[in-house]
Amino acid sequence: MGLLKTFQVHEEKSLTSSQNSTLQIPAGGKVNSLFLMFKDSSGDPATEAQVRAEIGNIRLTLGGKDVVNAPADKILDLYEFLGVKVAENTGIAGVIELNLGKLVYLDPAMRDACGFGTADITSIQVQVVAGTLVNIASVQAFTRRQAVNQNLGTHCRFIQYPQSFNSTGDHTVDTLPRDRNSAYLAALVDDGASGAISHGEARVNSNTVTERCPLNVNKAAVSNDGFVQPSGYFAYAFTDGDTSTRLPMRGVSDFRLITTFGTAPGAAGYNIATLTVVDYPEA
């Protein structure tokens, strides 16, 4: 088969309201894509709106380590953020791709480098948390992979971090991970249940990476790089899709995002979902 990407069908699990279900994905070769398809009781694909409304958190672990840990709607919003980097950035009915991070790149070699090598991994698990199910009845996993004997190596992670804040004005977050082997590609800051973000600022050590930037100016900036700032977000983009642009954490002792709320986000606070690349070979 050489480097041909083969398509493989994996197990399907019935879902129950307010319950967790775990899918076991076989290791082997390099997993370039891992898809979940949500279906109704007739076996037809659910709509994107149904997935957003009825599916809660999705967690992908490789060898016990989190690679994706975020709600379904947040993963779909990341797909929207990708803009022109993908052909259909509004999502495809019923389907969620879990190796989304690699899609910030247009370079095929970089997308390939961010596949999940499994030579040093014995388990791949996907945990799906169902909300109140009305239309969705099951979920099934699919992969595209290559017959390559490769360790995990370079890969992307997408993790959500809830924030406790319900006021107007600046909110500073300096607790995001600063793993020396990782680099930030983007941070999607939502405005909570009822908030509105007016400005964003990012600092690393004593340097300002993003000066206090109005929401719409930031929207124009990320659009120029081929991304989309989804409605209800401030999108801190630390890459323009080129392989040389990212925000490395090597040598970083202080990394903070300062987000300004013109309207308070609500009692549940808001969330920061981060997209990072791990074990990227530094020059």
Side-chain angles (χ1 to χ4, degrees):
M1 290 295 207
L3 297 181
L4 175 69
K5 293 178 181 177
T6 61
F7 181 82
Q8 298 182 13
V9 180
H10 305 297
E11 71 173 326
E12 181 173 356
K13 285 283 185 73
S14 297
L15 297 176
T16 303
S17 292
S18 304
Q19 299 293 319
N20 299 350
S21 296
T22 300
L23 298 168
Q24 304 290 343
I25 313 298
K30 178 193 288 185
V31 178
N32 300 95
S33 292
L34 201 169
F35 302 102
L36 299 180
M37 170 172 274
F38 294 91
K39 305 177 184 180
D40 63 20
S41 58
S42 299
D44 296 323
T47 66
E48 179 180 343
Q50 290 166 352
V51 173
R52 287 179 176 274
E54 299 180 28
I55 301 300
N57 203 69
I58 296 176
R59 183 182 183 189
L60 167 64
T61 58
L62 302 178
K65 296 180 180 180
D66 280 2
V67 174
V68 175
N69 194 346
D73 62 350
K74 192 71 59 171
I75 299 171
L76 288 165
D77 287 341
L78 175 61
Y79 204 70
E80 182 178 346
F81 165 77
L82 292 170
V84 299
K85 311 296 182 182
V86 294
E88 296 188 47
N89 74 318
T90 55
I92 296 172
V95 178
I96 287 182
E97 157 74 276
L98 295 186
N99 191 12
L100 270 177
K102 67 173 188 174
L103 301 179
V104 301
Y105 300 109
L106 290 178
D107 182 355
M110 189 61 197
R111 289 189 174 193
D112 182 68
C114 288
F116 301 142
T118 65
D120 56 346
I121 292 171
T122 58
S123 66
I124 303 174
Q125 292 186 338
V126 179
Q127 182 185 78
V128 176
V129 179
T132 301
L133 300 179
V134 177
N135 299 284
I136 296 176
S138 66
V139 60
Q140 188 169 15
F142 305 82
T143 59
R144 292 181 74 199
R145 63 180 77 198
Q146 294 169 294
V148 177
N149 184 25
Q150 181 177 307
N151 290 344
L152 177 57
T154 302
H155 63 285
C156 294
R157 291 178 179 165
F158 186 61
I159 310 291
Q160 175 168 283
Y161 300 95
Q163 305 298 317
S164 297
F165 180 75
N166 185 24
S167 186
T168 58
D170 292 349
H171 187 239
T172 299
V173 175
D174 59 3
T175 55
L176 294 174
R178 299 186 297 275
D179 301 328
R180 66 187 304 272
N181 67 330
S182 70
Y184 280 81
L185 300 175
L188 302 184
V189 181
D190 69 38
D191 56 14
S194 56
I197 296 172
S198 62
H199 295 79
E201 181 178 350
R203 299 179 186 171
V204 172
N205 293 339
S206 59
N207 302 310
T208 301
V209 176
T210 302
E211 288 197 8
R212 181 176 163 82
C213 182
L215 179 74
N216 281 354
V217 174
N218 191 68
K219 182 176 182 179
V222 300
S223 177
N224 286 353
D225 290 332
F227 297 112
V228 172
Q229 180 170 271
S231 177
Y233 284 90
F234 190 99
Y236 294 91
F238 303 115
T239 182
D240 58 8
D242 185 82
T243 56
S244 65
T245 56
R246 57 193 178 280
L247 182 59
M249 289 293 103
R250 184 184 299 274
V252 172
S253 58
D254 183 75
F255 171 46
R256 57 186 59 206
L257 301 180
I258 305 168
T259 307
T260 306
F261 287 83
T263 305
Y270 70 99
N271 303 283
I272 301 176
T274 64
L275 179 63
T276 58
V277 59
V278 182
D279 289 334
Y280 187 94
E282 299 291 345

